[in-house]
């Protein structure tokens, strides 16, 4: 939902600052919110995540987006930062994405990556597939009743445990997973 709201806000800005000003160059039949949202979804489904110490960055990297997803991947993508050249600029290298094997990969064996730490539903929404087998997963929400006469005391107890008055959890056949924000 957050990504959809962000894409909608981006489209609204583009519409106000570019599309409306030049309708001959940006006809509404092509440059509309539905088409923009579909383009964002397509780009996101093809992106790979470059992990750096500062942030995880989505990037469109030709060829690396062809690797399949696996819960236990045999490769990962690493971001190699740019290196400065010598005094006269020699041997400088731009930043680059590198595909690094995590284990020995036999000839003919597919290269697999972990697309993200996601539930099966998130993989379906973001990347368009369900990985088999699909384990039973269920998102449940625990919320305190604000009308409860002990609401404030209960909030204090939850806060001391690092929890919110309303908390979501993913339950699966493998056991409880991390809290999620959907």
């Amino acid at each position: 939902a957050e990504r959809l709201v962000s894409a909608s806000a981006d489209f609204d800005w583009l519409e106000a600052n570019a599309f409306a000003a030049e309708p001959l160059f940006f006809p509404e039949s092509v440059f509309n919110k539905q088409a923009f949202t579909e383009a964002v979804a397509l780009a996101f489904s093809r992106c790979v995540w470059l992990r750096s110490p500062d942030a995880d960055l989505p990037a469109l990297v030709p060829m690396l987006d062809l690797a399949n997803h696996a819960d236990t991947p045999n490769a990962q993508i690493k971001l190699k930062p740019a290196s400065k050249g010598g005094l006269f600029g020699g041997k400088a290298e731009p930043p680059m994405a590198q595909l690094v094997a995590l284990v020995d990969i036999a000839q003919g064996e597919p290269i697999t990556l972990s697309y993200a730490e996601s539930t099966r539903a998130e993989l379906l929404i973001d990347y368009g597939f369900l990985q088999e087998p699909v384990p039973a997963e269920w998102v449940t929400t625990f919320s305190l009743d604000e009308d409860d006469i002990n609401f404030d005391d209960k909030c204090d107890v939850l806060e001391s445990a690092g929890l919110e008055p309303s908390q979501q959890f993913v339950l699966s056949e493998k056991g409880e997973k991390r809290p999620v924000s959907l």
Side-chain angles (χ1 to χ4, degrees), residues 119-169:
T119 65
R120 300 294 196 227
E122 290 167 331
L123 287 171
L124 177 62
I125 290 168
D126 291 340
Y127 298 100
F129 71 89
L130 277 174
Q131 187 169 344
E132 298 292 335
V134 179
E137 293 181 337
W138 181 53
V139 178
T140 186
T141 302
F142 168 77
S143 297
L144 294 178
D145 182 357
E146 293 181 22
D147 295 330
D148 185 326
I149 61 171
N150 296 312
F151 179 77
D152 292 332
D153 294 330
K154 291 178 180 181
C155 285
D156 291 341
V157 170
L158 288 173
E159 185 178 320
S160 69
L163 298 172
E164 299 291 325
S166 181
Q167 189 79 40
Q168 291 184 330
F169 297 89

Side-chain angles (χ1 to χ4, degrees), residues 57-134:
L57 307 168
L60 294 173
V61 183
M63 303 304 289
L64 292 185
D65 67 337
L66 297 176
N68 286 326
H69 169 80
D71 286 337
T72 307
N74 59 17
Q76 69 180 9
I77 298 172
K78 288 191 174 185
L79 179 62
K80 182 179 178 187
S83 65
K84 294 183 179 182
L87 181 60
F88 299 104
K91 297 186 181 178
E93 292 184 354
M96 65 181 79
Q98 295 179 318
L99 183 63
V100 179
L102 299 172
V103 296
D104 288 336
I105 301 172
Q107 184 174 346
E109 182 181 351
I111 295 174
T112 58
L113 302 169
S114 175
Y115 288 175
E117 290 184 20
S118 303
T119 65
R120 300 294 196 227
E122 290 167 331
L123 287 171
L124 177 62
I125 290 168
D126 291 340
Y127 298 100
F129 71 89
L130 277 174
Q131 187 169 344
E132 298 292 335
V134 179

